Amino acid sequence: MIFFRSRTYKQTKPLFVNKKLFLLVCSLYAFHLEIRYASSEEPLRLQVTPELSSLNIKKSPPLPLSRGQLQSNNEVWIEEDLYHQVQDGETLSGIARSFDLGFNEIVGYNWNVNTKHPDKEILLRIVRRRIPPKIEQKTGLVINLAETRLYWLQKNGWFDTFPVGIGREGYDTPLGKTLVVRKKSQPTWYVPEMLRKKNPKLPAQIPPGPQNPLGAHALYLGWPGYLIHGTNDPFNSIGRRVSHGCIRLYPEDIAQLFAMVPVNEPVWVINQPAKAGWLHDDLYLELHPSHASNKKKLAVLAQEEIAQALARKSGQSTWFDWQLIDQMETNPDGIPRKVGGIKK
């Protein structure tokens, strides 16, 4: 069965066609679409439902999904995709959390699914591919706003990664470099004065407990007032732009990060909607909807990333799937795809 987005056409006059001819044209067009997209590794906005027996169907993820390692100078981490069959009463937010994804990610991977009430027994695709961001120091915490995801880059290619919630419009999470200056378990939230002015009913502080929006753990940054912390509202926070500038994690994720990351660990906050990286001799591209703070168009950023990746393989003959790159620029969904490589 083929799924594709419908389009609305404006007609000024009624259109009458022979029924048999119409069915023949529809059949030929469907065949044309299958042939046209067969050459692409993962055609966008066009999916063919695979046979159930061929899928790696999981009702719960094999933990941990948050840890990976880049092998032998590779820049892309890939594991086999999983497929989850929706059960009665499940929500996309709940399923996203069980696979350690943000809401934006599970929607991007399954664009044709009803986000509020997913149909029972429909198959959701869980993509397990990452192109970790690159930073000068090679190691440290990196929050990519465009991706709404945090990476802890470590030595020997190891990384841990978690989905995050970030600042809403008007309360943007700042870009730049800072440090983890202290850590606090069961933190007290001291309500910012600007919020109390807007809502005088807010108290001056909220102690630890279920009403505390910081959750059970917090990493305080060198920027006063900005934290990496948990949340008391995970289903409406992670993978969304909802905070007043802080970085929110699922309660189980912040507990892991809190235990692992030391004080004085460097922190970079970046906005990188385009990432390109090599897996052996294959070039992968990953595109996200561009965050408002990045003024360049996504197509320009994609070309810059590709050019930088080529510079890391200078002097070798390459090939590209420009049609796929164009589709990705038009419909960015965060899935890394093979778009080129070294000619054999």
Side-chain angles (χ1 to χ4, degrees):
M1 182 176 181
I2 298 175
F3 300 92
F4 57 93
R5 279 189 169 177
S6 62
R7 297 178 180 177
T8 302
Y9 296 92
K10 183 178 180 181
Q11 291 182 198
T12 55
K13 296 180 180 180
L15 181 64
F16 298 97
V17 297
N18 180 278
K19 184 176 181 180
K20 290 184 178 180
L21 178 60
F22 175 76
L23 293 175
L24 176 61
V25 170
C26 288
S27 299
L28 289 174
Y29 182 65
F31 178 74
H32 159 73
L33 286 178
E34 292 188 34
I35 295 299
R36 176 183 174 187
Y37 287 101
S39 60
S40 296
E41 183 197 20
E42 289 183 42
L44 296 181
R45 306 308 182 198
L46 185 67
Q47 300 177 358
V48 179
T49 303
E51 294 295 328
L52 284 175
S53 60
S54 68
L55 296 181
N56 188 7
I57 299 178
K58 300 289 182 182
K59 290 186 172 60
S60 60
L63 296 177
L65 285 181
S66 59
R67 168 157 284 202
Q69 185 181 30
L70 300 177
Q71 299 287 346
S72 58
N73 296 320
N74 287 326
E75 300 170 334
V76 183
W77 176 80
I78 292 182
E79 295 287 342
E80 182 184 3
D81 287 354
L82 303 178
Y83 290 84
H84 176 82
Q85 197 165 30
V86 177
Q87 306 300 303
D88 190 28
E90 285 188 318
T91 65
L92 282 188
S93 294
I95 297 169
R97 184 178 180 181
S98 71
F99 285 94
D100 207 22
L101 299 173
F103 183 77
N104 63 319
E105 292 176 303
I106 202 162
V107 170
Y109 302 160
N110 303 277
W111 57 268
N112 57 327
V113 174
N114 187 312
T115 57
K116 293 184 177 180
H117 304 288
D119 294 335
K120 182 180 177 182
E121 297 188 355
I122 195 170
L123 290 176
L124 297 181
R125 182 186 180 192
I126 309 299
V127 176
R128 298 201 295 167
R129 310 179 190 183
R130 302 283 173 210
I131 303 179
K134 301 171 186 63
I135 53 176
E136 295 178 7
Q137 195 170 315
K138 306 294 184 184
T139 61
L141 288 171
V142 184
I143 296 97
N144 186 5
L145 301 183
E147 196 177 353
T148 57
R149 184 161 279 272
L150 177 151
Y151 291 83
W152 185 34
L153 306 180
Q154 301 145 61
K155 294 180 180 179
N156 302 321
W158 282 102
F159 66 89
D160 290 88
T161 180
F162 306 100
V164 298
I166 62 173
R168 69 182 69 172
E169 187 174 356
Y171 296 93
D172 297 285
T173 304
L175 300 172
K177 181 183 178 182
T178 184
L179 295 172
V180 175
V181 295
R182 68 185 180 98
K183 306 195 304 183
K184 177 66 176 175
S185 183
Q186 301 302 323
T188 295
W189 184 41
Y190 296 94
V191 183
E193 189 64 28
M194 62 176 181
L195 297 183
R196 296 185 64 203
K197 286 181 178 179
K198 290 186 176 182
N199 184 1
K201 294 182 179 180
L202 286 174
Q205 63 185 54
I206 297 179
Q211 303 304 316
N212 190 325
L214 300 185
H217 303 87
L219 305 177
Y220 291 78
L221 304 181
W223 299 326
Y226 291 97
L227 295 74
I228 299 172
H229 61 79
T231 177
N232 63 345
D233 187 17
F235 295 110
N236 295 306
S237 293
I238 309 305
R240 305 175 192 258
R241 296 185 61 193
V242 292
S243 79
H244 289 92
C246 288
I247 296 100
R248 301 179 182 179
L249 281 81
Y250 287 126
E252 57 273 19
D253 287 347
I254 189 61
Q256 289 187 54
L257 194 68
F258 185 88
M260 295 186 299
V261 173
V263 172
N264 293 325
E265 186 74 3
V267 178
W268 283 264
V269 180
I270 64 174
N271 178 36
Q272 191 176 4
K275 296 188 289 182
W278 293 96
L279 181 62
H280 305 298
D281 288 335
D282 295 327
L283 179 63
Y284 280 76
L285 181 66
E286 175 184 328
L287 300 181
H288 299 266
S290 187
H291 191 268
S293 64
N294 199 319
K295 303 301 181 183
K296 289 186 178 180
K297 291 185 178 180
L298 189 58
V300 174
L301 295 171
Q303 298 304 317
E304 290 179 353
E305 279 292 307
I306 291 172
Q308 292 174 20
L310 289 178
R312 299 193 293 272
K313 294 272 190 178
S314 60
Q316 301 191 60
S317 181
T318 55
W319 64 270
F320 296 96
D321 186 339
W322 293 111
Q323 182 182 17
L324 178 57
I325 292 171
D326 180 66
Q327 289 177 310
M328 292 177 67
E329 291 168 353
T330 303
N331 297 294
D333 57 12
I335 300 177
R337 291 177 169 86
K338 184 169 70 175
V339 297
I342 303 299
K343 290 183 179 178
K344 306 297 184 181

